[in-house]
C-alpha cells in the first residue's frame, strides 16, 4: 500500500535544502532515484558531483541532513 505518488523522478533537477542553524543553504541537485514525500533518496550535487542522501519534502525539494547520511 503506497502512500501517495512519487513526486520526484530519477534524473530530475531538484533543490537541495541544507538547514544550518537559523538559515537554509540551497544547491542544485539531480535525483538519482524516484521519491515520495517523506522518503529518503540519493541526490547528486550538480556542482560538486558529490552524492548525498536527503528526505523528499516537496515536488522538487530534498532536505539534506547537514551531518551527512543518517
Amino acid at each position: 500500500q503506497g502512500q501517495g505518488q512519487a513526486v520526484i523522478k530519477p534524473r530530475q533537477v531538484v533543490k537541495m535544502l541544507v538547514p544550518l542553524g537559523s538559515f537554509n543553504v540551497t544547491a542544485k541537485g539531480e535525483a538519482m532515484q524516484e521519491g515520495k514525500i517523506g522518503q529518503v533518496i540519493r541526490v547528486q550535487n550538480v556542482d560538486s558531483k558529490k552524492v548525498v542522501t536527503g528526505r523528499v519534502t516537496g515536488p522538487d525539494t530534498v532536505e539534506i541532513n547537514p551531518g551527512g547520511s543518517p
Side-chain angles (χ1 to χ4, degrees):
Q1 242 179 334
Q3 295 226 319
Q5 297 282 49
V7 294
I8 291 179
K9 305 275 185 247
R11 302 193 60 77
Q12 178 180 331
V13 174
V14 297
K15 182 167 67 174
M16 297 164 57
L17 198 63
V18 184
L20 291 176
S22 59
F23 63 97
N24 292 324
V25 175
T26 59
K28 194 157 53 164
E30 183 181 300
M32 303 191 73
Q33 55 194 120
E34 74 172 25
K36 300 174 184 175
I37 290 184
Q39 200 171 20
V40 174
I41 63 167
R42 293 189 339 272
V43 182
Q44 183 178 48
N45 184 313
V46 169
D47 297 322
S48 70
K49 304 297 183 200
K50 184 178 176 188
V51 176
V52 294
T53 57
R55 185 173 305 279
V56 178
T57 58
D60 59 355
T61 309
V62 178
E63 187 173 300
I64 306 300
N65 179 341
S69 305

